C-alpha cells in the first residue's frame, strides 16, 4: 500500500466534516475507493485488445496442434465475463476454464511464448505496456472532476486495481496526487490478497485509510468488482457502465449505476 505524494486538487484534510451528499453519495460515507481501468482511465479497451491478441495466438496454435476448430476470444463478451477486473493470472485461468483448458501455472519469469498461465499473462502484459508507451494513457475527464470534487468535500480517496502496472498508469495519466492510498496487483502479491470478486483488495484499501468498510464507497465498472464491493460490506457500490451492462452491474451488486461519475455531482 502506497500513499500518494500530495493532493493537486486542493486538500481533503480539512477540519470540517466530510460532505458525501454534495458528491451524490449516502450520508455517513467518509472515503471513496476507485477502480482504475474503465473507471478512471480509458485503458479497458487496451486490456481487452491485448487479451484478444494473446488468447487468439494461443487458441490458434492449440487448434492447429489438436485439429479442433479455432474459436476466437470475443473482446466484448469473453472479456467482460471472464477477465475484466481480475488479476492477470485469475483472468487467464477463468477464460481458459471456459474453453475446458487447464495449463501449468509456470513462474513469473516465463516468457511470452511459454504455454503456462503466467506465460500467457506476461504476453498480455507486454502488449499492454507497448500500447501505453506508444499511445499514452487517456483519462475520463468526468472521473477526474469527480475525484477532485470528492476531495474538496473532505472525503479520503484510494485507487484500487488488480493491475501490477497501476502506479505507472497513474503517473502516465498525471493523476497520482488525487489519491491518499494505492492498493494494486503488487500489493496483492506481496500481501497474498485474493483477487476480485473477493473483496480483499478493497478491504485492504479501507484499512489503509483507517476506515470501516461501511464508511467507504466503491466505484467499479467490472462485474467482478461490484461483486467484491457487495461481498465486502461497503457502504455503497457505484457501478460505472462503460459497456452497456447497466442491469448486469445491478444484478452483481451495484447500488447505483452511472455512465459517467460526473453524473453524481450536485447540480447548481
Amino acid at each position: 500500500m502506497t500513499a500518494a505524494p500530495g493532493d493537486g486538487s486542493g486538500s481533503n484534510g480539512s477540519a470540517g466534516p466530510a460532505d458525501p451528499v454534495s458528491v451524490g453519495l449516502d450520508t455517513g460515507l467518509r472515503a471513496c475507493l476507485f477502480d482504475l481501468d474503465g473507471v478512471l482511465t480509458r485503458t479497458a479497451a487496451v486490456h481487452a485488445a491485448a487479451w484478444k491478441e494473446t488468447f487468439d495466438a494461443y487458441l490458434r496454435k492449440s487448434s492447429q496442434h489438436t485439429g479442433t476448430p479455432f474459436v476466437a476470444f470475443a473482446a466484448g463478451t469473453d472479456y467482460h465475463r471472464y477477465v475484466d477486473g481480475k488479476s492477470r493470472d485469475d483472468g487467464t485461468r477463468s477464460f481458459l476454464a471456459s474453453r475446458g483448458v487447464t495449463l501449468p501455472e509456470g513462474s513469473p519469469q516465463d516468457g511470452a511464448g511459454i504455454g503456462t498461465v503466467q506465460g500467457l499473462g506476461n504476453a498480455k502484459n507486454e502488449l499492454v505496456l507497448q500500447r501505453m508507451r506508444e499511445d499514452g494513457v487517456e483519462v475520463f475527464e468526468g472521473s477526474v472532476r469527480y475525484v477532485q470534487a470528492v476531495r474538496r468535500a473532505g472525503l479520503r480517496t484510494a485507487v484500487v486495481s488488480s493491475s501490477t502496472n497501476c502506479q505507472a498508469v497513474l503517473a502516465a495519466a498525471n493523476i497520482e496526487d488525487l489519491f491518499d492510498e494505492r492498493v494494486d496487483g503488487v500489493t496483492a502479491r506481496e500481501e497474498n490478497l485474493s483477487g476480485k470478486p473477493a473483496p480483499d483488495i478493497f478491504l485492504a484499501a479501507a484499512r489503509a485509510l483507517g476506515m470501516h468498510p461501511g464508511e467507504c464507497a466503491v466505484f467499479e465498472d467490472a462485474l467482478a468488482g461490484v461483486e467484491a464491493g457487495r461481498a465486502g460490506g461497503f457502504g455503497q457500490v457505484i457501478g460505472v457502465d462503460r459497456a452497456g451492462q447497466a442491469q448486469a452491474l445491478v444484478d452483481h451488486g451495484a447500488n447505483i449505476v452511472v455512465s459517467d461519475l460526473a453524473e453524481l455531482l450536485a447540480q447548481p
Side-chain angles (χ1 to χ4, degrees), residues 17 22 26 66 78-79 96 105-106 112 131-132 134 138 150 154 163 167 176 179 183 210 232 237 258 267:
S22 70
D26 289 346
T66 62
D78 285 336
Y79 175 73
L96 292 177
E105 287 298 306
R131 290 175 187 230
M132 286 197 301
E134 293 174 352
E138 187 178 359
V150 161
S163 174
Q167 190 277 332
E176 269 188 292
F179 303 97
V183 178
V237 181
V258 295
Q267 298 299 310

Side-chain angles (χ1 to χ4, degrees), residues 12-264:
N12 68 343
S14 61
D19 182 17
V21 176
S22 70
V23 289
L25 300 177
D26 289 346
T27 302
L29 294 176
R30 298 174 57 207
C32 295
L33 314 179
F34 296 93
D35 177 49
L36 180 66
D37 301 316
V39 172
L40 301 171
T41 58
R42 296 178 181 270
T43 41
V46 175
H47 285 280
W51 277 121
K52 178 169 176 59
E53 185 171 341
T54 300
F55 282 133
D56 281 358
Y58 169 78
L59 293 169
R60 190 172 285 108
K61 183 176 180 180
S62 177
S63 173
Q64 293 169 350
H65 179 72
T66 62
T68 56
F70 165 69
V71 180
F73 176 85
T77 55
D78 285 336
Y79 175 73
H80 292 292
R81 186 172 299 162
Y82 301 115
V83 302
D84 187 22
K86 300 179 182 178
S87 69
R88 287 200 302 270
D89 291 349
D90 286 346
T92 301
R93 294 187 201 98
S94 179
F95 172 70
L96 292 177
S98 76
R99 298 294 180 91
V101 175
T102 303
L103 290 180
E105 287 298 306
S107 75
Q109 290 74 40
D110 283 354
I114 304 298
T116 63
V117 168
Q118 298 209 35
L120 288 179
N122 289 339
K124 178 262 180 182
N125 194 48
E126 288 181 10
L127 291 171
V128 168
L129 293 175
Q130 177 184 341
R131 290 175 187 230
M132 286 197 301
R133 285 193 300 268
E134 293 174 352
D135 303 329
V137 174
E138 187 178 359
V139 298
F140 289 100
E141 294 297 339
S143 294
V144 173
R145 287 196 290 114
Y146 184 76
V147 178
Q148 291 170 341
V150 161
R151 294 180 71 81
R152 288 193 298 270
L155 282 76
R156 303 201 69 204
T157 57
V159 61
V160 183
S161 173
S162 299
S163 174
T164 57
N165 301 318
C166 180
Q167 190 277 332
V169 173
L170 291 173
N174 197 30
I175 56 173
E176 269 188 292
D177 62 351
L178 294 181
F179 303 97
D180 301 305
E181 294 286 343
R182 183 184 77 245
V183 178
D184 58 15
V186 176
T187 313
R189 185 173 293 171
E190 292 174 348
E191 300 186 11
N192 196 31
L193 303 174
S194 296
K196 306 168 190 176
D200 295 27
I201 60 175
F202 284 119
L203 293 172
R207 288 194 300 271
L209 292 172
M211 302 288 175
H212 184 276
E215 298 175 301
C216 302
V218 167
F219 297 78
E220 263 285 0
D221 71 310
L223 301 183
V226 294
E227 281 189 49
R230 178 174 61 183
F234 290 92
Q236 204 166 5
V237 181
I238 313 300
V240 185
D241 182 20
R242 308 289 193 193
Q245 55 178 2
Q247 187 58 51
L249 289 166
V250 172
D251 293 343
H252 283 75
N255 303 115
I256 300 173
V257 175
V258 295
S259 59
D260 190 287
L261 292 188
E263 296 173 23
L264 294 167

